[in-house]
Amino acid sequence: MGKTIAMIPARYAATRFPGKLMKMLGDKTVIRRAYENTLATGLFDEVSVVTDSDIIYDEISSIGGMVRRSTKEHESGSDRIAEIIVDMDVDIILNVQGDMPFVKKEPLAKLLDVFRDPAVQVGSLMQELHEEASINNPNVVKVVVDRNMNSLLFSRSPIPYPRSVDIPITWYEHVGVYAYRKQALLNFTQWPMTPLEAAEKIECLRYLEYGIPLKMVVTDYMGVNIDTPEDMEKALLLV
């Protein structure tokens, strides 16, 4: 598949939980756990954090990690990564969110494997949802797929809606790990924000609105994404 790298976009001033990446999760910061666990998979030619924050830059540098500095304002982590990779010789880029400290090898390996199909431009992960509270929680992004595991829609609303109570439904949560071919990511950054993306605040909807499905891979439980202080409380129970 050519050169494959992992990048972890990291912004300090998160809207819902400012400074979350530098919060202590046990004896390490959230961003350090995300970086070290991604590196430990051994799947990549390079693993780096991409940030515009001096605090995060110094945190990763202090442990001898690779960290790259972005210089522009960005709407999304994908945009932040695209700034860095535009002049890099790379084929597949895997985007691990900095607020995912419990990332594991097997799901990432399965995600990378879908790129053996040259038709796949973008891929991502999803996991089953079982709790009604999560299904109805707008902070949990849901996804529905077709028979070939291509994404049909992402939404903060519960999808599919259980209009018929006689049909068993499996709900999936979108896990915010993406993989892209380089050109697909660069194309994404050139396209204007689309109406569904703007309404839902879900960046991957831009791909769908431009006719690019995401190949979805089912994974087992990936731990807690730390979006809110309440998520941090859950994450502390896992360390």
Side-chain angles (χ1 to χ4, degrees), residues 75-95:
E75 290 287 338
S76 70
S78 295
D79 291 307
R80 192 175 301 280
I81 290 173
E83 177 193 333
I84 302 300
I85 61 100
V86 64
D87 293 321
M88 290 180 65
D89 179 19
V90 61
D91 298 284
I92 307 293
I93 304 102
L94 192 135
N95 172 353

Side-chain angles (χ1 to χ4, degrees), residues 170-187:
T170 301
W171 280 275
Y172 290 105
E173 175 186 2
H174 178 217
V175 179
V177 176
Y178 299 94
Y180 339 77
R181 297 192 190 276
K182 178 180 178 179
Q183 193 58 52
L185 176 56
L186 295 180
N187 289 344

Side-chain angles (χ1 to χ4, degrees), residues 1 8 16 27-28 33 37 40 47 57-58 85 90 109 114 120 130 151 187 194 196 198 208 221 223 225 236:
M1 294 188 292
I8 306 170
R16 281 179 289 178
D27 60 350
K28 299 178 182 179
R33 285 188 181 274
N37 285 341
V47 177
Y57 189 96
D58 291 344
I85 61 100
V90 61
V114 304
V120 174
H130 301 288
S151 60
N187 289 344
T194 49
L196 284 178
L208 296 189
Y221 184 60
N225 271 35
L236 286 168

Side-chain angles (χ1 to χ4, degrees), residues 6-35:
M7 288 195 160
I8 306 170
R11 186 166 64 99
Y12 185 79
T15 304
R16 281 179 289 178
F17 190 7
K20 65 182 181 180
L21 298 187
M22 289 299 296
K23 300 293 185 184
M24 295 303 296
L25 191 56
D27 60 350
K28 299 178 182 179
T29 59
V30 172
I31 186 61
R32 178 174 173 178
R33 285 188 181 274
Y35 174 78

Side-chain angles (χ1 to χ4, degrees), residues 105-121:
K105 178 178 181 177
E106 184 181 5
L108 302 191
K110 288 170 66 177
L111 178 55
L112 292 175
D113 195 56
V114 304
F115 286 87
R116 297 185 187 281
D117 179 353
V120 174
Q121 298 300 304

Side-chain angles (χ1 to χ4, degrees), residues 52-64:
D52 60 356
S53 163
D54 291 338
I55 297 171
I56 293 174
Y57 189 96
D58 291 344
E59 168 71 358
I60 300 303
S61 294
S62 72
I63 61 170

